[in-house]
Amino acid sequence: HHDHEHTEQGGLPTNWFHERDHPVHSLFSRADPPWLANFPANPSPDHPGSLPVDKLPKAWTDAYEAAVANGKIPAIPPTTVSYMEGWAKYPDGFDPTSREVCSSYEQCYTDTDLVDPPSGVIVISFDDGPADGTATLLKHLGSTHQRATHFMIGSNIRDQPDLFTQAFRQGGDIAVHTYTHPYMTSLSDYGVLAELGYTMQIIHDSTDGRVPRYWRPPFGDMDNRVRAIASEVFGLTPVMWNRDTNDWAMPDNQDPATILTNVTEWLGGDSLKDTKGRMLLEHELTEDTANVFINTTWPLLLANHWKPLSVAQTWGHSLNYANAVSNADV
């Protein structure tokens, strides 16, 4: 049992959004130390989505079964995917662009998806950390006092806890990017639970108990079944993007010059007058991807007077976490 009212160095805030009997407390009870040993390594780096599902916490499966019983989880079959070719396909009879399925991989979005910021705003967010570009990125964010949202991979947190802690302690908003970075629509319902739940748990246990409120599906792959599991079980809000730098493809299939051309078009000229702001897909995956933001996006957004905000700031949430009154350590 984790007492949410005590205060310790680097500990929890004394006030919470949720009441003490809210399910979030049973969903993410503090793991016994050492917490790192309680989380699975990526069992097969070449096969994302292969997390074991036979030992999921009962609180997660109970919450899922209750959502199913209440008709909250649509019966959409998993997709077949090709990681090599980059596609996800539904069985015959299921249209990914239909209202019933609404695949974000096919640019179908719902009212719950955060996609387009307000005019004049550019959302500062990064995927795939903690990774090789995280330290360089954090140095820049710290020197410019810029708050950003980091969509973190659970197995990366497990493997690089010091980088994760640095991002969190510096004031970065921590969000979910799954545990092994799979096509989420290709997973069973319990597979979805595992990817989201283990990532939320490792974030909870390495941030003094905070529960993230946002998540971003790898490859932008999500449908109404996955949305429902994320929302109904874990209370997660999905965050997409409206411009893709393809920075992750450097150096083989993307180059800085092309990214500069694209970002200049997206952020320059009269673009600030657009009715929709900008949410660029960028990564802290490598030094190269970090430098795309530092050397391209950042100077262009400043020169063109965009307002840079984190995800939580953009949508009027002072907090990136679902259960704390303050993001700050107390």
Side-chain angles (χ1 to χ4, degrees), residues 54-77:
D54 56 331
K55 296 182 180 179
L56 294 177
K58 188 174 184 297
W60 303 356
T61 58
D62 284 352
Y64 163 77
E65 297 297 344
V68 171
N70 289 326
K72 300 293 188 179
I73 311 298
I76 301 170

Side-chain angles (χ1 to χ4, degrees), residues 178-192:
T178 74
Y179 204 89
T180 68
H181 204 275
Y183 281 85
M184 290 294 280
T185 63
S186 72
L187 306 181
S188 69
D189 288 7
Y190 272 26
V192 173

Side-chain angles (χ1 to χ4, degrees), residues 245-306:
T245 65
N246 285 309
D247 59 348
W248 60 271
M250 294 189 301
D252 295 334
N253 297 307
Q254 181 62 292
D255 62 86
T258 300
I259 295 175
L260 175 60
T261 298
N262 290 337
V263 177
T264 300
E265 178 183 348
W266 300 336
L267 301 183
D270 291 331
S271 61
L272 192 66
K273 300 177 183 178
D274 289 354
T275 58
K276 297 176 181 178
R278 300 290 185 261
M279 180 128 64
L280 274 58
L281 181 61
E282 297 185 283
H283 297 76
E284 54 191 278
L285 189 59
T286 65
E287 290 280 346
D288 286 343
T289 63
N291 284 323
V292 163
F293 174 77
I294 294 168
N295 299 325
T296 299
T297 305
W298 183 254
L300 281 168
L301 73 86
L302 292 180
N304 291 283
H305 307 292
W306 287 85

Side-chain angles (χ1 to χ4, degrees), residues 153-168:
I153 295 175
S155 59
N156 286 2
I157 298 171
R158 183 187 190 277
D159 293 341
Q160 302 188 72
D162 291 342
L163 275 178
F164 175 84
T165 299
Q166 183 182 349
F168 171 65

Side-chain angles (χ1 to χ4, degrees), residues 226-249:
V226 175
R227 282 185 185 91
I229 295 171
S231 174
E232 295 296 331
V233 178
F234 295 120
L236 288 168
T237 298
V239 181
M240 298 299 293
W241 58 87
N242 59 17
R243 300 292 188 280
D244 187 354
T245 65
N246 285 309
D247 59 348
W248 60 271

